[in-house]
Amino acid sequence: MTKLLMLAGSARKASTNKQLAALAARTAKEAGAEVTLIDLADFDMPIHNGDIEADTGLPENAKRLKQLFVQHDGFFIASPEYNSSIPAVLKNALDWISRPHTESEPGLWAFQGKVAAIGAVSAGALGGLRGLVPLRMMLGNIGVTVVPSQVAVSDGFNAFDDNGALVAEMPAGMLKATITQLVETTDALKRDA
C-alpha cells in the first residue's frame, strides 16, 4: 500500500493550510493510501546553522522528521504564501532534513525516490499560487518528482465548511485531482522500482 505523509507549512494552530492538509489526508485515504498527518509545530528546530550542525549534529526533531519522510513513499505539503514564497518554518524543516546525520547516509536521503503534491490556501484571490512556484522548484531541485496538478484555494477564511470540506466546487475538484495524481504516480513509480 502506498504510504503518504501529509503536512502544512505552518505551525499556527488555526492555519487554513492545516485544514487543507487534513482534507488531503482524508482524500488520500479514500483513494486507498495509508496516510500519516503531522504538524510541524511538533518538530520545533533552531534555524539551520552550519555551526550548530558541526557542533551537535542534526537536532533530534530533524532526525525524527527525516525518518518520517524516509518511511513514506510520497508527501503532500499545504503551504502558506509569505511574500510570494514559502514560510520560514517549512524551508527550515526541509533544509534540516536534507542534511545527512551519518557518514553512510545517502545524499538527500529523505527525498530520494519520493513523489510530492503541493497546495496552498490564502485569503487572497490567487490562493497562495505564487508561493507554490518556489516550493515546486525547490522540491524538483532536490530530486522529488512533483506531480503537475496542484491546488490553490482563495478566500481561505471562508473556504471550509464546519466538517472541514471545501465549500467551492472548483478547489474541491482541484484537490481531488491533485491527490488522485499523487496516489497514482506514487503507485506507478513503486511498481517500476
Side-chain angles (χ1 to χ4, degrees), residues 57-145:
L58 267 62
E60 286 306 311
N61 279 338
K63 293 177 189 175
R64 286 178 48 230
L65 184 59
K66 183 195 292 190
Q67 194 58 42
L68 282 169
F69 271 76
V70 168
Q71 291 169 349
H72 289 78
D73 304 305
F75 53 92
F76 174 82
I77 297 175
S79 178
E81 177 189 311
Y82 288 7
N83 299 313
S84 302
S85 192
I86 63 175
V89 69
L90 176 60
K91 178 72 164 65
N92 191 55
L94 296 174
D95 285 345
W96 270 119
I97 67 173
S98 73
R99 305 295 301 153
H101 66 274
T102 66
E103 286 186 23
S104 62
E105 182 181 306
L108 299 170
W109 186 38
F111 304 109
Q112 284 185 354
K114 305 300 178 189
V115 179
I118 56 177
V121 181
S122 171
L126 295 179
L129 197 58
R130 291 174 300 188
L132 294 179
V133 174
L135 179 57
R136 178 179 293 278
M137 180 183 69
M138 186 188 78
L139 292 173
N141 286 343
I142 58 176
V144 177
T145 299

Side-chain angles (χ1 to χ4, degrees), residues 2-82:
T2 294
K3 293 180 68 175
L4 298 175
L5 187 65
M6 305 289 186
L7 65 145
S10 173
R12 193 170 66 86
K13 288 179 186 173
S15 167
T16 53
N17 282 280
K18 285 184 180 180
Q19 287 181 276
L20 183 61
L23 181 56
R26 291 194 301 273
T27 305
K29 282 181 187 174
E30 290 168 5
E34 181 182 331
V35 177
T36 304
L37 177 64
I38 62 169
D39 187 337
L40 281 183
D42 296 331
F43 298 88
D44 190 40
M45 292 174 248
I47 297 296
H48 183 264
N49 179 322
D51 291 338
I52 294 172
E53 186 178 352
D55 291 345
T56 60
L58 267 62
E60 286 306 311
N61 279 338
K63 293 177 189 175
R64 286 178 48 230
L65 184 59
K66 183 195 292 190
Q67 194 58 42
L68 282 169
F69 271 76
V70 168
Q71 291 169 349
H72 289 78
D73 304 305
F75 53 92
F76 174 82
I77 297 175
S79 178
E81 177 189 311
Y82 288 7

